[in-house]
Amino acid sequence: MLCLKVPTDAAWADEALTNVDALLVDHAHCEMKAAANALSLAARDQGDIETAVVLADLAREEIDHFQRVLAELSARAAALGPPPVDAYAADLRRAPHDLPHDPKIGPKVDRFLVAALIEARSCERFKLLARACAARDVYAALGSFWEELFAAEAGHYRSFVELAVRAAGGDREAVAARLDRLADREAAIVEGLGRRAHGRRRTTIHG
Ligand SMILES: [Fe+2]
Ligand SMILES: [Fe+2]
């Protein structure tokens, strides 16, 4: 799906749905962090108004997602609670440092591509959750919500890739090559997390 090199393993969605409250707490934090990250990227890029406009729109959508997950938590009388550890995002943010230097790829391009990969993986997992809800005939409203988010996060993935191309001065080929390398690292991180979760139920979006 999108640029991802490995699919999420088949057990993940069923494991995640064993504790919907925990999953929604993590989901809420993911949306909040996505909004904050978009605004933080806009703040770094004071010279490029077009990029700031795209990021502000994206942040607005993430805030909308955050509010809708909060409404779901509220309806379930569940608390937001602290953010679960997101080893996936932390490892992925470090991944560009391990890649060879490319003069065409600055830190800004890497930050956009890391954000694109996080969107792509979230997108894949929302689709898996929507499918699992439909297959088990449970949580119909949540399933529809996740189906809708699947499309929204796919759009965010494309926006971040385009922002990376813009930040690389239009060098689409260099950006595609960098994304390919980062996608290799992302795949290794996902497989590593899957192996380490052996025997433990994963109830986070990136777990
Ligand atoms: Fe979102
Ligand atoms: Fe997103």
Side-chain angles (χ1 to χ4, degrees):
M1 177 184 286
L2 303 174
C3 61
L4 301 179
K5 302 233 174 162
V6 292
T8 291
D9 65 90
W12 174 79
D14 283 337
E15 283 178 37
L17 289 176
T18 59
N19 190 340
V20 173
D21 282 1
L23 181 65
L24 287 170
V25 166
D26 183 63
H27 183 179
H29 281 286
C30 284
E31 300 291 359
M32 181 173 27
K33 283 184 255 183
N37 186 51
L39 291 178
S40 160
L41 288 168
R44 282 169 182 266
D45 210 349
Q46 295 146 359
D48 182 358
I49 195 75
E50 295 297 324
T51 291
V53 167
V54 172
L55 288 166
D57 281 344
L58 207 146
R60 189 199 303 270
E61 283 190 31
E62 303 293 21
I63 290 170
D64 173 66
H65 298 170
F66 176 49
Q67 288 178 313
R68 289 168 69 187
V69 184
L70 284 180
E72 189 62 41
L73 282 170
S74 179
R76 294 170 155 268
L80 176 59
V85 173
D86 191 347
Y88 165 82
D91 287 353
L92 192 54
R93 290 212 165 85
R94 280 192 290 272
H97 305 302
D98 299 332
L99 295 186
H101 174 69
D102 180 341
K104 297 174 202 151
I105 302 292
K108 191 160 80 169
V109 177
D110 277 332
R111 278 193 284 271
F112 286 144
L113 291 180
V114 165
L117 280 161
I118 293 173
E119 296 286 351
R121 184 61 67 184
S122 305
C123 173
E124 183 222 22
R125 296 210 166 173
F126 290 140
K127 183 74 175 176
L128 292 175
L129 288 172
R131 269 199 209 135
C133 288
R136 291 166 54 172
D137 202 16
V138 291
Y139 311 123
L142 268 178
S144 303
F145 177 47
W146 283 321
E147 184 77 38
E148 182 192 331
L149 290 196
F150 155 76
E153 311 304 357
H156 295 167
Y157 161 79
R158 287 188 283 273
S159 294
F160 275 121
V161 171
E162 289 309 310
L163 288 175
V165 171
R166 183 178 172 85
D171 194 335
R172 200 167 283 280
E173 209 173 307
V175 167
R178 188 71 165 186
L179 180 57
D180 189 65
R181 283 174 168 247
L182 283 170
D184 284 336
R185 307 304 295 238
E186 197 271 351
I189 291 166
V190 164
E191 288 182 324
L193 286 171
R195 277 195 301 276
R196 290 207 293 279
H198 189 67
R200 176 176 59 81
R201 278 188 182 156
R202 295 165 291 169
T203 54
T204 61
I205 299 295
H206 299 134

PDB file of all heavy atoms in Angstrom, residues 30-31 34-35 58 61-62 65 115 118-119 122 126 149 152-157 160, ligand 2:
ATOM      1  N   CYS A  30      -2.119   9.959  18.606  1.00  0.00           N
ATOM      2  CA  CYS A  30      -1.523   9.992  17.254  1.00  0.00           C
ATOM      3  C   CYS A  30      -2.043  11.191  16.474  1.00  0.00           C
ATOM      4  O   CYS A  30      -1.272  11.882  15.792  1.00  0.00           O
ATOM      5  CB  CYS A  30      -1.866   8.714  16.477  1.00  0.00           C
ATOM      6  SG  CYS A  30      -0.923   7.279  16.991  1.00  0.00           S
ATOM      7  N   GLU A  31      -3.354  11.438  16.547  1.00  0.00           N
ATOM      8  CA  GLU A  31      -3.935  12.557  15.800  1.00  0.00           C
ATOM      9  C   GLU A  31      -3.429  13.887  16.350  1.00  0.00           C
ATOM     10  O   GLU A  31      -3.110  14.812  15.585  1.00  0.00           O
ATOM     11  CB  GLU A  31      -5.471  12.514  15.863  1.00  0.00           C
ATOM     12  CG  GLU A  31      -6.105  11.244  15.287  1.00  0.00           C
ATOM     13  CD  GLU A  31      -5.971  11.130  13.768  1.00  0.00           C
ATOM     14  OE1 GLU A  31      -5.396  12.034  13.124  1.00  0.00           O
ATOM     15  OE2 GLU A  31      -6.431  10.112  13.224  1.00  0.00           O
ATOM     16  N   ALA A  34       0.075  14.370  15.209  1.00  0.00           N
ATOM     17  CA  ALA A  34       0.123  14.681  13.775  1.00  0.00           C
ATOM     18  C   ALA A  34      -0.178  16.163  13.551  1.00  0.00           C
ATOM     19  O   ALA A  34       0.475  16.829  12.737  1.00  0.00           O
ATOM     20  CB  ALA A  34      -0.871  13.806  13.014  1.00  0.00           C
ATOM     21  N   ALA A  35      -1.168  16.687  14.280  1.00  0.00           N
ATOM     22  CA  ALA A  35      -1.503  18.115  14.161  1.00  0.00           C
ATOM     23  C   ALA A  35      -0.340  18.970  14.646  1.00  0.00           C
ATOM     24  O   ALA A  35       0.068  19.934  13.973  1.00  0.00           O
ATOM     25  CB  ALA A  35      -2.764  18.429  14.974  1.00  0.00           C
ATOM     26  N   LEU A  58      -3.500  20.683   6.680  1.00  0.00           N
ATOM     27  CA  LEU A  58      -3.303  19.322   7.187  1.00  0.00           C
ATOM     28  C   LEU A  58      -3.518  19.292   8.709  1.00  0.00           C
ATOM     29  O   LEU A  58      -4.195  18.406   9.244  1.00  0.00           O
ATOM     30  CB  LEU A  58      -1.877  18.905   6.824  1.00  0.00           C
ATOM     31  CG  LEU A  58      -1.593  17.448   6.659  1.00  0.00           C
ATOM     32  CD1 LEU A  58      -0.554  17.223   5.577  1.00  0.00           C
ATOM     33  CD2 LEU A  58      -1.087  16.884   7.963  1.00  0.00           C
ATOM     34  N   GLU A  61      -7.141  19.300   9.620  1.00  0.00           N
ATOM     35  CA  GLU A  61      -7.792  17.982   9.472  1.00  0.00           C
ATOM     36  C   GLU A  61      -7.425  17.051  10.629  1.00  0.00           C
ATOM     37  O   GLU A  61      -8.254  16.300  11.123  1.00  0.00           O
ATOM     38  CB  GLU A  61      -7.366  17.337   8.150  1.00  0.00           C
ATOM     39  CG  GLU A  61      -8.091  17.932   6.972  1.00  0.00           C
ATOM     40  CD  GLU A  61      -7.859  17.128   5.697  1.00  0.00           C
ATOM     41  OE1 GLU A  61      -7.678  15.890   5.770  1.00  0.00           O
ATOM     42  OE2 GLU A  61      -7.855  17.757   4.639  1.00  0.00           O
ATOM     43  N   GLU A  62      -6.135  17.110  11.047  1.00  0.00           N
ATOM     44  CA  GLU A  62      -5.715  16.248  12.155  1.00  0.00           C
ATOM     45  C   GLU A  62      -6.416  16.650  13.457  1.00  0.00           C
ATOM     46  O   GLU A  62      -6.787  15.790  14.266  1.00  0.00           O
ATOM     47  CB  GLU A  62      -4.196  16.283  12.339  1.00  0.00           C
ATOM     48  CG  GLU A  62      -3.382  15.882  11.112  1.00  0.00           C
ATOM     49  CD  GLU A  62      -3.504  14.423  10.706  1.00  0.00           C
ATOM     50  OE1 GLU A  62      -4.483  13.753  11.075  1.00  0.00           O
ATOM     51  OE2 GLU A  62      -2.609  13.951   9.987  1.00  0.00           O
ATOM     52  N   HIS A  65      -9.771  15.144  13.358  1.00  0.00           N
ATOM     53  CA  HIS A  65      -9.704  13.716  13.709  1.00  0.00           C
ATOM     54  C   HIS A  65      -9.552  13.563  15.227  1.00  0.00           C
ATOM     55  O   HIS A  65     -10.194  12.718  15.848  1.00  0.00           O
ATOM     56  CB  HIS A  65      -8.513  13.035  13.024  1.00  0.00           C
ATOM     57  CG  HIS A  65      -8.580  13.052  11.528  1.00  0.00           C
ATOM     58  ND1 HIS A  65      -7.529  12.688  10.730  1.00  0.00           N
ATOM     59  CD2 HIS A  65      -9.595  13.378  10.680  1.00  0.00           C
ATOM     60  CE1 HIS A  65      -7.879  12.792   9.459  1.00  0.00           C
ATOM     61  NE2 HIS A  65      -9.119  13.219   9.406  1.00  0.00           N
ATOM     62  N   ALA A 115       7.294  11.938   7.908  1.00  0.00           N
ATOM     63  CA  ALA A 115       5.865  12.194   8.150  1.00  0.00           C
ATOM     64  C   ALA A 115       5.012  11.439   7.127  1.00  0.00           C
ATOM     65  O   ALA A 115       3.967  10.875   7.470  1.00  0.00           O
ATOM     66  CB  ALA A 115       5.586  13.693   8.083  1.00  0.00           C
ATOM     67  N   ILE A 118       4.778   7.779   8.168  1.00  0.00           N
ATOM     68  CA  ILE A 118       3.872   7.587   9.315  1.00  0.00           C
ATOM     69  C   ILE A 118       2.422   7.639   8.839  1.00  0.00           C
ATOM     70  O   ILE A 118       1.581   6.832   9.258  1.00  0.00           O
ATOM     71  CB  ILE A 118       4.158   8.629  10.422  1.00  0.00           C
ATOM     72  CG1 ILE A 118       5.545   8.389  11.031  1.00  0.00           C
ATOM     73  CG2 ILE A 118       3.080   8.584  11.511  1.00  0.00           C
ATOM     74  CD1 ILE A 118       6.008   9.453  12.021  1.00  0.00           C
ATOM     75  N   GLU A 119       2.131   8.564   7.929  1.00  0.00           N
ATOM     76  CA  GLU A 119       0.769   8.642   7.374  1.00  0.00           C
ATOM     77  C   GLU A 119       0.422   7.359   6.611  1.00  0.00           C
ATOM     78  O   GLU A 119      -0.697   6.844   6.719  1.00  0.00           O
ATOM     79  CB  GLU A 119       0.646   9.835   6.410  1.00  0.00           C
ATOM     80  CG  GLU A 119       0.825  11.193   7.048  1.00  0.00           C
ATOM     81  CD  GLU A 119      -0.365  11.638   7.878  1.00  0.00           C
ATOM     82  OE1 GLU A 119      -1.419  10.986   7.834  1.00  0.00           O
ATOM     83  OE2 GLU A 119      -0.218  12.644   8.592  1.00  0.00           O
ATOM     84  N   SER A 122      -0.250   4.552   9.093  1.00  0.00           N
ATOM     85  CA  SER A 122      -1.524   4.781   9.792  1.00  0.00           C
ATOM     86  C   SER A 122      -2.685   4.467   8.853  1.00  0.00           C
ATOM     87  O   SER A 122      -3.675   3.831   9.242  1.00  0.00           O
ATOM     88  CB  SER A 122      -1.633   6.237  10.253  1.00  0.00           C
ATOM     89  OG  SER A 122      -0.529   6.592  11.035  1.00  0.00           O
ATOM     90  N   PHE A 126      -5.648   1.843   9.561  1.00  0.00           N
ATOM     91  CA  PHE A 126      -7.066   2.212   9.658  1.00  0.00           C
ATOM     92  C   PHE A 126      -7.892   1.319   8.736  1.00  0.00           C
ATOM     93  O   PHE A 126      -9.007   0.914   9.077  1.00  0.00           O
ATOM     94  CB  PHE A 126      -7.274   3.695   9.319  1.00  0.00           C
ATOM     95  CG  PHE A 126      -6.720   4.632  10.368  1.00  0.00           C
ATOM     96  CD1 PHE A 126      -6.068   5.798  10.009  1.00  0.00           C
ATOM     97  CD2 PHE A 126      -6.859   4.355  11.723  1.00  0.00           C
ATOM     98  CE1 PHE A 126      -5.550   6.665  10.972  1.00  0.00           C
ATOM     99  CE2 PHE A 126      -6.349   5.206  12.699  1.00  0.00           C
ATOM    100  CZ  PHE A 126      -5.690   6.368  12.316  1.00  0.00           C
ATOM    101  N   LEU A 149     -10.973   7.665   7.685  1.00  0.00           N
ATOM    102  CA  LEU A 149      -9.611   8.127   7.988  1.00  0.00           C
ATOM    103  C   LEU A 149      -8.589   7.502   7.042  1.00  0.00           C
ATOM    104  O   LEU A 149      -7.579   8.131   6.713  1.00  0.00           O
ATOM    105  CB  LEU A 149      -9.228   7.797   9.436  1.00  0.00           C
ATOM    106  CG  LEU A 149      -9.946   8.596  10.508  1.00  0.00           C
ATOM    107  CD1 LEU A 149      -9.216   8.469  11.843  1.00  0.00           C
ATOM    108  CD2 LEU A 149     -10.055  10.060  10.154  1.00  0.00           C
ATOM    109  N   ALA A 152      -8.395   9.855   4.290  1.00  0.00           N
ATOM    110  CA  ALA A 152      -7.795  11.142   4.678  1.00  0.00           C
ATOM    111  C   ALA A 152      -6.285  11.006   4.845  1.00  0.00           C
ATOM    112  O   ALA A 152      -5.516  11.850   4.369  1.00  0.00           O
ATOM    113  CB  ALA A 152      -8.427  11.638   5.981  1.00  0.00           C
ATOM    114  N   GLU A 153      -5.844   9.933   5.515  1.00  0.00           N
ATOM    115  CA  GLU A 153      -4.402   9.789   5.778  1.00  0.00           C
ATOM    116  C   GLU A 153      -3.656   9.476   4.468  1.00  0.00           C
ATOM    117  O   GLU A 153      -2.495   9.850   4.324  1.00  0.00           O
ATOM    118  CB  GLU A 153      -4.118   8.731   6.851  1.00  0.00           C
ATOM    119  CG  GLU A 153      -4.934   8.834   8.149  1.00  0.00           C
ATOM    120  CD  GLU A 153      -4.859  10.169   8.915  1.00  0.00           C
ATOM    121  OE1 GLU A 153      -4.117  11.076   8.493  1.00  0.00           O
ATOM    122  OE2 GLU A 153      -5.575  10.300   9.910  1.00  0.00           O
ATOM    123  N   ALA A 154      -4.317   8.821   3.528  1.00  0.00           N
ATOM    124  CA  ALA A 154      -3.685   8.608   2.209  1.00  0.00           C
ATOM    125  C   ALA A 154      -3.437   9.961   1.539  1.00  0.00           C
ATOM    126  O   ALA A 154      -2.391  10.179   0.923  1.00  0.00           O
ATOM    127  CB  ALA A 154      -4.572   7.727   1.333  1.00  0.00           C
ATOM    128  N   GLY A 155      -4.388  10.891   1.680  1.00  0.00           N
ATOM    129  CA  GLY A 155      -4.217  12.237   1.139  1.00  0.00           C
ATOM    130  C   GLY A 155      -3.052  12.954   1.819  1.00  0.00           C
ATOM    131  O   GLY A 155      -2.265  13.647   1.169  1.00  0.00           O
ATOM    132  N   HIS A 156      -2.920  12.759   3.134  1.00  0.00           N
ATOM    133  CA  HIS A 156      -1.814  13.397   3.864  1.00  0.00           C
ATOM    134  C   HIS A 156      -0.475  12.833   3.394  1.00  0.00           C
ATOM    135  O   HIS A 156       0.508  13.567   3.279  1.00  0.00           O
ATOM    136  CB  HIS A 156      -1.964  13.178   5.373  1.00  0.00           C
ATOM    137  CG  HIS A 156      -3.186  13.842   5.941  1.00  0.00           C
ATOM    138  ND1 HIS A 156      -3.671  13.588   7.199  1.00  0.00           N
ATOM    139  CD2 HIS A 156      -4.039  14.758   5.391  1.00  0.00           C
ATOM    140  CE1 HIS A 156      -4.751  14.318   7.417  1.00  0.00           C
ATOM    141  NE2 HIS A 156      -5.001  15.024   6.326  1.00  0.00           N
ATOM    142  N   TYR A 157      -0.439  11.521   3.173  1.00  0.00           N
ATOM    143  CA  TYR A 157       0.780  10.901   2.642  1.00  0.00           C
ATOM    144  C   TYR A 157       1.206  11.617   1.351  1.00  0.00           C
ATOM    145  O   TYR A 157       2.354  12.037   1.204  1.00  0.00           O
ATOM    146  CB  TYR A 157       0.540   9.405   2.382  1.00  0.00           C
ATOM    147  CG  TYR A 157       1.545   8.792   1.441  1.00  0.00           C
ATOM    148  CD1 TYR A 157       2.814   8.436   1.889  1.00  0.00           C
ATOM    149  CD2 TYR A 157       1.244   8.601   0.088  1.00  0.00           C
ATOM    150  CE1 TYR A 157       3.760   7.909   1.017  1.00  0.00           C
ATOM    151  CE2 TYR A 157       2.173   8.073  -0.785  1.00  0.00           C
ATOM    152  CZ  TYR A 157       3.429   7.720  -0.318  1.00  0.00           C
ATOM    153  OH  TYR A 157       4.359   7.213  -1.180  1.00  0.00           O
ATOM    154  N   PHE A 160       2.567  15.152   1.964  1.00  0.00           N
ATOM    155  CA  PHE A 160       3.928  15.204   2.508  1.00  0.00           C
ATOM    156  C   PHE A 160       4.970  14.854   1.432  1.00  0.00           C
ATOM    157  O   PHE A 160       6.053  15.450   1.407  1.00  0.00           O
ATOM    158  CB  PHE A 160       4.074  14.280   3.720  1.00  0.00           C
ATOM    159  CG  PHE A 160       3.637  14.922   5.012  1.00  0.00           C
ATOM    160  CD1 PHE A 160       2.619  14.366   5.772  1.00  0.00           C
ATOM    161  CD2 PHE A 160       4.255  16.078   5.478  1.00  0.00           C
ATOM    162  CE1 PHE A 160       2.214  14.959   6.967  1.00  0.00           C
ATOM    163  CE2 PHE A 160       3.855  16.682   6.670  1.00  0.00           C
ATOM    164  CZ  PHE A 160       2.831  16.122   7.419  1.00  0.00           C
TER     165      PHE A 160
HETATM  166 FE    FE B   2      -2.742  12.313   8.810  1.00  0.00          FE
END
